[in-house]
Amino acid sequence: MSDVYAEPTTGADPTDPATLARYTTLRLGGPAGRLEIATSADEIVRKVQEAEAREQAVLLLAGGSNVVIGDQGFPGAVVLIRSRGFRLVAEDADTVTVRVEAGEPWDDLVAATVERGWSGLECLSGIPGSAGATPIQNVGAYGQEVAETITAVEAYDRTRRTVVRIPAADCGFAYRGSIFKYSDRWVVLSVDFRLTRSPLSGPVRYTELARALGVEVGDRVPLADARATVRRLRAGKGMVLDARDPDTWSVGSFFTNPVLEPEAYDRLRERAADLGEPPSWPCPGDTVKVSAAWLIDKAGFGRGHTGPEGVAISTKHTLALTNRTGTASTAALIALAREIRDGVQTRLGVTLHPEPVLINCAI
C-alpha cells in the first residue's frame, strides 16, 4: 500500500488515464484494473469498501513518490487520494495540534506551518508526497522525523471495518518504518501533528545543515532560514521534484541506510580498510547506521552510472535511481537496483534494502 502525492506526470502511454506511470514520480507503472478518485476521508473509506465488495485488491496512491509499480500494473482498484486541508484541533500557550487530511501535499503543509510560526516540520521541507504518507515510513531528513511530532493517526481498519484513531505510541515507529508500512490492514485518513509555537527551528542536529546555515550543531535558526536552506540542499541533490530535471524523476532515496550489529560493522570496516572510514551514526542497542550512498559509491557505482533502457543513478546523488528518459520500463529500473544491491554485497558484505514500496515487482 502506498499513500503519497504529486500531480500526474507523463510516462508510458500517457494518453491512457489508467496507466499508473501518470501518477508516479518515477513515471513508471502499468495499467490499473480500475481507477478511482477520493476527495475526502469518507470517500476513501467508501471506495475501499466498494472494492472489497467486488473482491478486488486495493492500491492507494496520492502521487506515487515512494512507490515502484511493475510493468504489469495493478489488476485491482487503484484509489487516488485527493483529500485536502488541515485544521487546529488543540492549542495552548506553547503548542498547536494540527489535523491534516491524508492527501494534503506535504511541502505545502510544511510551508504553511513555517509561515504561521509553528516549529517541528521545517527540516522536512521539499519532500514530495502527502501528509498521509509520512507516518507510513516515518519520513525523516536533516535530523527530524515525523514520529517526533505525530500524536495520532486516523485510519480505516480493514480487518474490523471501522475508523480508529491510533496514538503515536501504538504506531510502531522505527527507522523508515511503522505498523502501516507493508500492511494492507490500515488506510491512513488523517494525521495529527503537535508543533511548537516558535519563530525558531528546533535545535539543528545535522552537520551538513548546520554548516550550510553557518551555525553550530544544536543552534536554532529562524524557521524560514531552515526551510530555505533545506530546500536548497535537497535541490542540489535532485531531491526536489522538477519536471525539467530528469534527476528528480525518481523515488528519492531508493535504498535505506543499513543498520548493522557491532560485529557486522567491524567486518565492514575490515573489508573497506582501503576505502576509508565508512560514514556512520550510533543507534540504539549498540547498532550502527551506515551511509548507503557511501557503500554504493565505494562498490563502484558512481553518480550517473547507467543501466538498461536509460535508467541511471542520479548525476547528483548516488541514492536516487532515475528514469531519465521517461520511457524506460520498471523491469529496467529493477535490474539496475539488483546490480547495485549485488555489487555492494559482493564488494562490502552489506545487503541493501529498498526504501519505496514495491508493487508487483521485487529486487
Side-chain angles (χ1 to χ4, degrees):
M1 182 173 66
S2 176
D3 186 8
V4 282
Y5 174 88
E7 288 304 319
T9 63
T10 58
D13 192 11
T15 61
D16 181 358
T19 297
L20 297 176
R22 290 173 54 87
Y23 303 98
T24 71
T25 55
L26 263 171
R27 308 179 178 215
L28 295 175
R34 183 186 183 102
L35 191 66
E36 307 214 34
I37 297 175
T39 60
S40 69
D42 288 345
E43 196 170 18
I44 294 168
V45 173
R46 179 165 57 82
K47 297 288 187 183
V48 170
Q49 290 176 337
E50 289 173 350
E52 290 174 337
R54 296 190 300 267
E55 298 185 346
Q56 283 186 303
V58 179
L59 173 64
L60 304 175
L61 277 178
S65 65
N66 192 50
V67 63
V68 183
I69 300 175
D71 296 312
Q72 296 76 27
F74 188 78
V78 177
V79 179
L80 300 179
I81 307 300
R82 296 294 184 262
S83 54
R84 296 286 188 275
F86 63 89
R87 60 189 174 91
L88 288 180
V89 293
E91 58 181 317
D92 56 33
D94 300 317
T95 68
V96 296
T97 299
V98 184
R99 181 161 299 162
V100 188
E101 298 300 316
E104 179 69 13
W106 176 252
D107 197 48
D108 289 358
L109 172 67
V110 177
T113 63
V114 167
E115 290 168 3
R116 287 163 172 77
W118 300 339
S119 174
L121 304 179
E122 59 279 354
C123 292
L124 302 175
S125 294
I127 295 175
S130 71
T134 61
I136 293 174
Q137 65 164 6
N138 186 17
V139 165
Y142 294 100
Q144 285 183 339
E145 288 184 336
V146 293
E148 299 167 353
T149 52
I150 289 176
T151 60
V153 175
E154 182 186 42
Y156 174 60
D157 182 344
R158 295 177 64 187
T159 299
R160 297 182 177 180
R161 297 180 60 80
T162 186
V163 174
V164 296
R165 192 168 304 280
I166 306 172
D170 296 332
C171 290
F173 289 127
Y175 172 61
R176 299 300 173 268
S178 69
I179 63 170
F180 311 109
K181 193 168 185 179
Y182 304 121
S183 171
D184 287 332
R185 177 175 179 178
W186 308 104
V187 179
V188 174
L189 302 175
S190 68
V191 188
D192 291 357
F193 298 89
R194 181 180 292 134
L195 307 175
T196 302
R197 296 182 188 269
S198 173
L200 299 179
S201 70
V204 176
R205 301 171 183 166
Y206 206 77
T207 302
E208 179 188 16
L209 179 57
R211 186 183 307 116
L213 286 163
V215 300
E216 299 296 323
V217 171
D219 288 349
R220 298 172 185 265
V221 300
L223 290 174
D225 291 353
R227 172 170 166 76
T229 303
V230 166
R231 283 184 59 87
R232 176 169 58 81
L233 290 172
R234 290 185 61 85
K237 300 173 183 178
M239 297 293 187
V240 176
L241 290 178
D242 184 345
R244 301 163 299 178
D245 183 359
D247 273 329
T248 72
W249 302 352
S250 74
V251 289
S253 298
F254 193 90
F255 295 103
T256 58
N257 293 321
V259 178
L260 306 179
E261 296 293 332
E263 298 79 7
Y265 179 61
D266 289 342
R267 290 195 296 271
L268 168 62
R269 293 180 67 192
E270 291 175 5
R271 296 182 70 155
D274 60 329
L275 302 174
E277 187 72 11
S280 61
W281 302 268
C283 291
D286 294 326
T287 59
V288 181
K289 182 165 62 178
V290 179
S291 167
W294 185 90
L295 294 169
I296 292 167
D297 182 67
K298 297 305 180 183
F301 304 100
R303 298 176 187 177
H305 175 87
T306 58
E309 301 180 29
V311 297
I313 294 177
S314 166
T315 64
K316 299 181 179 72
H317 200 291
T318 53
L319 270 182
L321 307 188
T322 66
N323 174 19
R324 297 189 59 80
T325 65
T327 58
S329 65
T330 302
L333 187 89
I334 293 296
L336 175 60
R338 287 174 181 156
E339 179 190 10
I340 294 168
R341 179 201 60 190
D342 294 347
V344 170
Q345 175 63 47
T346 299
R347 175 65 180 86
L348 297 168
V350 176
T351 300
L352 297 179
H353 297 283
E355 182 168 322
V357 177
L358 307 182
I359 304 296
N360 286 342
C361 59
I363 68 167

